[in-house]
Amino acid sequence: MNSRQACFACLQRDPPALFEAALWIATEHDPALRPEPVLRDIGGLAQQVAAGLPVLPARELGQPLLRLLHDLGFSEEDHLPLRLAAALPHRVLQQRRGHPLTLALIALEVARHLEIPLYGVDFPGHLLLRVENADHLLDPVSGRRLYSRDCRELLLRQHGAPAELESRHLQSCPAHHLLQHLSRLLRQLHEQNDDPLAALKDAERVLLLGPPSVADHLARADLYRRLECPQGERFDLQRALLLCDDPSECLRLDQRLRQVEVVDALH
């Protein structure tokens, strides 16, 4: 079983082994990585966190857990541009600094060990966490509570007016969506580091993990173009055109597709 097969096998478990699946994603870029020692390390972290938690019902321990992780040094990576290590879960576990998404994956795994009902929330542009039946969301970095007004302000900062907060923005999301977000992040960082072959691995995984968007197909099409693979670029442009519902964008995609077909014919 290769790394990708092992990742998807983790998602087939009940419940899904989210953090282990994320580690198998990391092995696609770091073949020397072995998930087992990292899983033992995060189990030790969970024991350390458990020792500092107050005596409260499990549903009230989400915020204390996040604050304890913050006190233990887990914080957002402030280096710009963002380094690849900030998105790889085993590296963030070692250095205790990373992207909010990867910090959230670590918090979710610690919560799983401690049977704290913490869930990921696919808030637009910013992954958040929530405890079951709570009237607020949680910032995965600081543990700050976010109520409806805070969420509206965050949405406006992310997308600007006239974005409106909807109930779907506050719902828990499944494990494969979180891994799809991680794969998109890794794709962007590998592109930033001028490593299109590594980025292509992530782009392919994005398409396998859930319903792809027009942007997902265009991202892989751009990588195929950089790698001088017109057949792959043409396929993703065709898929993007099928998914697109913006007439002006459809026209642009159709023109680009015709250009690729001309270049392919010349070869």
Side-chain angles (χ1 to χ4, degrees):
M1 185 181 294
N2 62 30
S3 295
R4 186 160 298 178
Q5 290 169 334
C7 171
F8 281 88
C10 289
L11 293 177
Q12 295 301 315
R13 298 181 197 169
D14 187 17
L18 172 62
F19 189 75
E20 184 179 348
L23 291 176
W24 283 113
I25 286 175
T27 65
E28 292 195 39
H29 302 298
D30 185 357
L33 171 64
R34 295 293 177 266
E36 295 83 1
V38 184
L39 293 172
R40 288 195 295 269
D41 289 343
I42 202 165
L45 175 64
Q47 292 179 352
Q48 188 178 4
V49 169
L53 287 174
V55 180
L56 292 170
R59 66 179 182 277
E60 297 178 24
L61 290 175
Q63 186 178 43
L65 180 152
L66 293 170
R67 287 183 169 174
L68 271 171
L69 287 174
H70 187 266
D71 291 343
L72 289 170
F74 286 90
S75 58
E76 185 172 1
E77 172 65 72
D78 56 7
H79 185 276
L80 293 176
L82 190 68
R83 292 175 284 206
L84 180 62
L88 294 170
H90 65 297
R91 297 290 299 277
V92 175
L93 192 61
Q94 292 169 350
Q95 64 194 19
R96 304 203 170 190
R97 297 183 68 84
H99 188 276
L101 171 58
T102 314
L103 292 171
L105 292 174
I106 290 173
L108 288 167
E109 180 66 5
V110 171
R112 185 188 69 80
H113 275 270
L114 302 180
E115 299 183 351
I116 297 172
L118 194 64
Y119 305 97
V121 174
D122 192 8
F123 193 84
H126 194 99
L127 182 76
L128 299 175
L129 300 172
R130 75 175 308 148
V131 178
E132 190 173 8
N133 298 324
D135 62 351
H136 58 272
L137 302 182
L138 295 168
D139 184 323
V141 177
S142 65
R144 183 172 74 93
R145 292 187 176 190
L146 301 172
Y147 293 92
S148 295
R149 179 177 178 180
D150 304 305
C151 292
R152 289 190 184 92
E153 292 175 355
L154 178 59
L155 186 64
L156 288 173
R157 288 199 301 271
Q158 294 286 338
H159 295 277
E164 294 185 5
L165 187 66
E166 301 176 21
S167 60
R168 61 187 177 89
H169 297 153
L170 310 177
Q171 300 301 313
S172 302
C173 61
H176 65 272
H177 282 186
L178 296 176
L179 295 182
Q180 196 174 43
H181 285 311
L182 178 63
S183 297
R184 289 187 181 111
L185 174 61
L186 289 169
R187 183 194 69 206
Q188 293 165 6
L189 294 177
H190 281 118
E191 287 186 90
Q192 173 185 295
N193 291 337
D194 196 26
D195 191 347
L197 284 174
L200 184 60
K201 292 181 182 180
D202 300 312
E204 291 172 343
R205 193 185 318 104
V206 168
L207 299 176
L208 293 171
L209 280 166
S213 66
V214 172
D216 291 329
H217 278 292
L218 288 179
R220 193 170 69 168
D222 290 342
L223 288 167
Y224 277 131
R225 179 166 58 180
R226 289 183 63 185
L227 294 168
E228 299 182 354
C229 180
Q231 295 91 344
E233 181 183 2
R234 182 172 60 248
F235 173 84
D236 277 308
L237 290 174
Q238 290 171 337
R239 298 302 300 176
L241 190 56
L242 287 173
L243 293 172
C244 185
D245 56 8
D246 181 338
S248 60
E249 179 71 4
C250 287
L251 179 61
R252 188 184 70 81
L253 288 173
D254 184 64
Q255 292 172 341
R256 179 175 166 183
L257 183 59
R258 292 175 186 273
Q259 292 171 352
V260 173
E261 290 173 343
V262 169
V263 171
D264 196 21
L266 291 175
H267 280 75

